[in-house]
Amino acid sequence: MGKEFSSVPMYTESAEVTKSFDDDGHIKRTGTLLTASSHIITAVIGSGVLSLAWAIAQLGWLVGPAVLMAFSFITYYTSTLLADSYRCPGPVQGTRNYTYMDAVRAHLGGVKVQLCGLAQYGNLIGITIGYTITASISMEAIKKSNCYHKHGHDAHCSEPTYPFMIIFAAIEIVLCIIPDFHELSWLSIVAAVMSFAYSSIGLGLSIAKVVGGGDKVRTTLTGTTVGVDLSGSDKDTLKSKPSENKVMKKASFIGVTTTTLFYMLCGCVGYAAFGNNAPGNFLTGFGFYEPFWLIDFANICIAVHLIGAYQVFAQPIFAFVEKSCQKRWPESKFINAEYMPFMGSHGFNMFRLVWRTSYVVVTAVLAMIFPFFNDILGLIGAASFYPLTVYFPIEMHISQQKIPKYSFNWMWLKILSWSCLVVSLVAAAGSIQGLAVDVKTYKPFKA
């Protein structure tokens, strides 16, 4: 079973070594409530928070905030079910499942394991490509901001994003050499701080615009109006004490509550500032031009955040492929041999270097070829939200708690699941429409 289980005899014979291993022989987990919350915030508060003004503009004052609050509650609720599914058969004393697929295998089994893997890793791959694009747009926005400040807001300040994608990929290659995700906890904390920083800047600038008055903006209870505003066709692992599920529930509460607060503030205040003409992103889309240095700093924060967020989503992919290869070819020195330890018990591994570097390069190339991939990412997100955030947590909870079929709890959970499926299908249809428009108008390699 690999080097983790080969060390179990040492773990049972030495008190000193016991400190390094859990009760199941795996290397002891070092996560805390702080690092878990940071990982959640880093993953959830993306630069998309700066697009919420546009989203609220589409739905209006009534539906927009209500939908945001409803899905925040659903996400938190299903995350608590997922936390209880970490162990099987019981949430406290059962056997640990170290991956999402392992949890689905233990509780549900069958073809659902493969479907979970397809949804999970397809989503992770899509996000890493999308983050490459988004980070490069923020880097480009820094140059454009300085250009507009120097030459005026009507100047031609377009810059190709490809050089910035290369810079982003080079940074990720360096970080990817670090073998284990828990050793990147510091990066996730930094990324979480950056997400707070640029969200606060966007929020502050929006408040300043609202308070300062200036151009009158149009807001409505129902959002953008067809024929007025737009055409009809546009409309980780943790320590054992306290129990993992309790820590993850607290981390989920902190993460979801924090992100919801920022989402509501940025979305509603941004809508009040820009009205139904809110830009898709008011930092990279230049809803604000001044003070240019503050816009620059905000975009730097976005880029730094996405550097960390990329690792949050890429590390599970790395771990899955590496463990699969180690299991399939246990005698291969290329895959398993560690040379010249330089980070604790870890060393330099050729397969890890080649595989992770290749992955980052491929995601960067795909980002260059398909710069409208964020619309594809929207489709992937719509397709993966239901199975990963709703369906599997609910089904595992039903199985674990042995909830009787057609009981009140069973019916409530099924209605919640089916309702979210309908919403996901509607969102997917919208993403497909947007993607079709992008493909039709796309001109490759345009600066």
Side-chain angles (χ1 to χ4, degrees):
M1 296 294 291
K3 63 180 181 180
E4 291 177 333
F5 288 96
S6 66
S7 301
V8 174
M10 294 177 61
Y11 144 76
T12 58
E13 295 173 5
S14 168
E16 181 179 353
V17 178
T18 300
K19 297 179 182 179
S20 301
F21 292 88
D22 278 320
D23 52 6
D24 56 4
H26 282 72
I27 295 175
K28 185 173 287 293
R29 292 145 304 123
T30 59
T32 64
L33 179 63
L34 173 62
T35 57
S37 302
S38 297
H39 290 330
I40 293 171
I41 293 171
T42 299
V44 178
I45 299 187
S47 59
V49 70
L50 303 174
S51 302
L52 285 172
W54 176 87
I56 298 294
Q58 309 310 302
L59 300 174
W61 286 118
L62 291 179
V63 179
V67 168
L68 187 56
M69 289 299 298
F71 277 93
S72 295
F73 171 77
I74 291 171
T75 300
Y76 171 68
Y77 175 68
T78 56
S79 69
T80 63
L81 304 184
L82 188 60
D84 284 337
S85 302
Y86 175 59
R87 287 177 178 263
C88 183
V92 178
Q93 299 298 330
T95 302
R96 293 187 185 93
N97 297 290
Y98 284 86
T99 68
Y100 201 137
M101 288 179 66
D102 287 342
V104 173
R105 183 179 292 107
H107 290 91
L108 304 176
V111 71
K112 292 180 180 179
V113 179
Q114 286 70 41
L115 293 176
C116 172
L118 181 63
Q120 182 184 7
Y121 291 105
N123 183 50
L124 294 176
I125 293 170
I127 288 174
T128 55
I129 298 173
Y131 278 5
T132 303
I133 297 171
T134 306
S136 67
I137 292 173
S138 291
M139 294 176 183
E140 176 201 20
I142 296 172
K143 291 195 68 175
K144 291 174 70 175
S145 173
N146 291 305
C147 175
Y148 287 134
H149 176 73
K150 183 177 181 179
H151 301 290
H153 299 171
D154 295 326
H156 179 72
C157 295
S158 296
E159 293 281 345
T161 58
Y162 308 118
F164 301 109
M165 291 182 184
I166 295 173
I167 293 172
F168 180 83
I171 295 172
E172 294 300 342
I173 289 173
V174 174
L175 293 176
C176 285
I177 297 175
I178 302 174
D180 287 328
F181 180 58
H182 71 267
E183 293 170 351
L184 291 171
S185 296
W186 62 269
L187 181 60
S188 193
I189 293 173
V190 170
V193 172
M194 293 297 102
S195 65
F196 284 130
Y198 67 71
S199 298
S200 299
I201 291 171
L203 177 61
L205 290 172
S206 296
I207 292 175
K209 182 176 174 61
V210 172
V211 173
D215 297 336
K216 296 293 183 180
V217 297
R218 181 175 181 272
T219 65
T220 57
L221 291 178
T222 56
T224 53
T225 304
V226 174
V228 177
D229 301 301
L230 74 171
S231 65
S233 62
D234 286 332
K235 182 136 187 173
D236 188 14
T237 58
L238 300 170
K239 294 179 179 177
S240 298
K241 296 181 181 180
S243 61
E244 295 96 334
N245 65 325
K246 290 183 179 179
V247 177
M248 278 308 303
K249 287 178 181 179
K250 290 180 181 179
S252 297
F253 179 78
I254 293 172
V256 173
T257 301
T258 303
T259 56
T260 300
L261 176 62
F262 271 86
Y263 280 12
M264 289 293 290
L265 288 173
C266 289
C268 293
V269 176
Y271 182 42
F274 293 100
N276 291 341
N277 294 320
N281 183 315
F282 50 65
L283 288 180
T284 61
F286 290 92
F288 303 102
Y289 288 92
E290 301 293 341
F292 78 100
W293 57 268
L294 189 59
I295 306 299
D296 289 352
F297 178 72
N299 279 299
I300 290 172
C301 290
I302 293 175
V304 173
H305 168 251
L306 294 179
I307 288 171
Y310 184 102
Q311 291 296 318
V312 170
F313 290 99
Q315 287 289 334
I317 303 172
F318 297 154
F320 175 74
V321 171
E322 288 159 16
K323 289 180 180 179
S324 298
C325 291
Q326 289 169 359
K327 184 177 180 180
R328 185 177 181 90
W329 296 287
E331 304 300 325
S332 172
K333 291 185 178 180
F334 174 74
I335 294 175
N336 297 285
E338 300 276 352
Y339 304 99
M340 299 172 59
F342 63 94
M343 293 190 67
S345 60
H346 301 289
F348 177 80
N349 177 268
M350 283 299 299
F351 174 70
R352 187 162 56 233
L353 175 64
V354 173
W355 147 239
R356 296 187 180 193
T357 300
S358 299
Y359 179 85
V360 175
V361 170
V362 169
T363 57
V365 171
L366 289 175
M368 293 178 187
I369 295 174
F370 304 109
F372 54 81
F373 194 85
N374 278 342
D375 290 301
I376 299 178
L377 185 60
L379 177 60
I380 294 173
S384 62
F385 167 78
Y386 173 70
L388 297 178
T389 306
V390 180
Y391 176 76
F392 286 118
I394 287 178
E395 291 300 313
M396 288 191 288
H397 177 71
I398 291 174
S399 175
Q400 185 182 62
Q401 299 299 319
K402 297 180 173 57
I403 299 176
K405 197 172 185 178
Y406 301 118
S407 65
F408 175 79
N409 285 343
W410 187 90
M411 290 297 296
W412 141 250
L413 290 169
K414 288 294 185 178
I415 290 173
L416 175 62
S417 180
W418 295 332
S419 300
C420 290
L421 174 61
V422 172
V423 173
S424 294
L425 291 175
V426 172
S431 297
I432 291 173
Q433 179 190 11
L435 183 60
V437 173
D438 282 339
V439 171
K440 183 178 180 180
T441 60
Y442 173 55
K443 294 181 180 181
F445 301 108
K446 182 180 179 180

